[in-house]
Amino acid sequence: MAVFVSGRGSNLQALIEGIAEHGIPAEIALVVSNKPEALALERAERHGIPTAVFSPADFADQDAFADALLKRLYETEIDLICLAGFTLILPYRLLAAFPQRIINIHPSLLPAFGGKGMYGMHVHRAVLASGAKYSGATVHIVTEEIDGGPIICQEVVPVEDDDTPETLAQRVLEVEHRLYPRALQLMVEDALEINGLRTRIKQRAD
Ligand code: GAR
């Protein structure tokens, strides 16, 4: 699998640790960042994971960017992509090349507080401004609709009266770190049945 990052990489770290601790049959073979300065790249290197920087600004157009990225993913024999704080909207070619094989973590209870411009601290500010009493985290399958694909799993987090965007973000992040390895496990064990926007754990015969 590949993990796509843009920043701090705490979810990348949670995936690395989750794979080891829970014996998830997955190998992070590549970490891709669109930003060369992302702290996540250092984390990957510390764990001996190959990294690559792909920034659209370095390519003539979106197609050239997508082609170069796809070439690297195919060379590395990637068959699952986890977005972990990746701030770019994926080119259509990439989505088409990995149908139902790209997952994303989002710091709210989707479909609330998702969509274009809703990432990181923007999400937590919007939650507080709305007066919502609960927020949470969601892992979902990535489709053409931003933050709109089938939901794999979610966990609820209460909003406290004295929360700031930062304190809420921290409480949600703790949940993200246990939710993402769980979602990864469901994906690699092919445990999910997907029906429209709904997913459920497959009933096994044994
Ligand atoms: C996480 O909170 C993740 O849910 C969010 O960015 C943060 C990345 O932190 N992603 C989005 O908002 C996607 N729309 P990290 O780099 O420490 O994993």
Side-chain angles (χ1 to χ4, degrees):
M1 57 184 266
V3 182
F4 284 20
V5 297
S6 300
R8 178 180 53 187
S10 71
N11 277 291
L12 166 67
Q13 188 78 44
L15 288 172
I16 294 170
E17 286 167 16
I19 288 169
E21 276 164 30
H22 304 294
I24 300 171
E27 181 198 346
I28 304 176
L30 184 64
V31 169
V32 172
S33 175
N34 59 323
K35 297 199 177 151
E37 72 277 14
L39 190 64
L41 292 172
E42 285 172 35
R43 291 189 199 258
E45 280 154 18
R46 230 178 289 141
H47 288 271
I49 302 169
T51 62
V53 175
F54 281 89
S55 168
D58 298 336
F59 295 89
D61 54 31
Q62 273 281 94
D63 284 349
F65 168 64
D67 287 345
L69 185 49
L70 275 174
K71 185 167 175 281
R72 181 67 188 262
L73 295 172
Y74 289 143
E75 277 168 8
T76 321
E77 296 180 36
I78 297 301
D79 70 1
L80 180 71
I81 297 171
C82 294
L83 308 184
F86 190 61
T87 53
L88 279 186
I89 292 168
L90 288 182
Y92 176 74
R93 278 185 195 211
L94 210 78
L95 294 178
F98 288 89
Q100 295 190 342
R101 300 301 294 166
I102 307 178
I103 63 177
N104 178 45
I105 188 149
H106 185 82
S108 77
L109 292 176
L110 289 175
F113 307 106
K116 206 168 180 346
M118 277 291 182
Y119 60 90
M121 238 11 130
H122 297 284
V123 176
H124 304 297
R125 278 192 215 108
V127 169
L128 290 180
S130 77
K133 298 290 185 196
Y134 292 94
S135 188
T138 303
V139 181
H140 66 95
I141 292 170
V142 175
T143 60
E144 264 185 271
E145 183 161 348
I146 300 171
D147 297 328
I151 290 170
I152 300 170
C153 50
Q154 288 186 306
E155 202 172 314
V156 175
V157 167
V159 175
E160 306 291 355
D161 291 344
D162 55 356
D163 261 339
T164 63
E166 289 74 21
T167 59
L168 178 58
Q170 185 52 40
R171 195 174 312 114
V172 171
L173 196 63
E174 281 166 30
V175 165
E176 290 184 45
H177 293 164
R178 58 172 182 267
L179 201 63
Y180 215 176
R182 204 182 301 152
L184 174 66
Q185 183 148 26
L186 291 170
M187 289 298 290
V188 301
E189 289 179 350
D190 190 25
L192 288 177
E193 210 174 279
I194 303 166
N195 189 0
L197 284 179
R198 302 183 74 178
T199 70
R200 66 168 161 197
I201 313 269
K202 282 179 187 167
Q203 302 297 313
R204 306 232 182 237
D206 47 337

